[in-house]
Amino acid sequence: MDHLNAQRGLVNLFTSDSFRLLCLLERLQTDTLDGKRVRESQEEIAELFHVSKGKLNPLMQELVASGCIEKFRARSGYTVTQLGTQVVDHIGKLAAMEEQSAAARNRG
């Protein structure tokens, strides 16, 4: 049963603001001496994502709970986990396949 709940959680993640936020966070990651991380503050991330900080906080918590991002030390940003990167890559491939399929239908 926990496996089904985890799957539902990931499916909901893929189709939500949380997924769009995950994509943004992955793009924002930069290389540091300690590895990749998002250096922007929550205020800056909220501005880039065009939401209030109050709307951003639960989305960030959802991504942490799903295992797609982790806090990078207290008060120094976030890092996208391997799972988070895989989610973004997988959904990107699915979206590309859908676009190719739609283009083929429009031609035929």
Side-chain angles (χ1 to χ4, degrees):
M1 195 64 149
D2 287 334
H3 180 68
L4 288 176
N5 288 336
Q7 281 184 319
R8 284 187 194 117
L10 286 176
V11 168
N12 289 337
L13 174 65
F14 298 154
T15 59
S16 68
D17 286 342
S18 296
F19 174 69
R20 291 187 316 103
L21 177 58
L22 178 60
C23 292
L24 173 66
L25 294 174
E26 187 182 51
R27 287 191 308 272
L28 289 175
Q29 282 195 127
T30 57
D31 289 321
T32 69
L33 295 175
D34 296 321
K36 287 189 171 210
R37 72 179 172 111
V38 177
R39 292 181 173 198
E40 286 78 3
S41 68
Q42 281 200 358
E43 290 85 7
E44 292 168 320
I45 294 168
E47 185 176 317
L48 291 168
F49 198 58
H50 306 289
V51 298
S52 68
K53 191 174 172 195
K55 167 85 173 167
L56 182 72
N57 283 334
L59 296 173
M60 296 291 279
Q61 291 171 2
E62 183 179 341
L63 289 173
V64 169
S66 71
C68 289
I69 67 171
E70 293 176 343
K71 285 192 175 216
F72 187 88
R73 296 193 201 132
R75 301 187 146 276
S76 38
Y78 292 87
T79 184
V80 177
T81 65
Q82 183 178 1
L83 174 62
T85 299
Q86 290 172 344
V87 166
V88 170
D89 290 345
H90 185 70
I91 297 301
K93 289 176 186 173
L94 290 174
M97 289 170 56
E98 183 179 0
E99 287 176 17
Q100 289 174 349
S101 178
R105 284 192 306 272
N106 290 337
R107 285 192 303 261

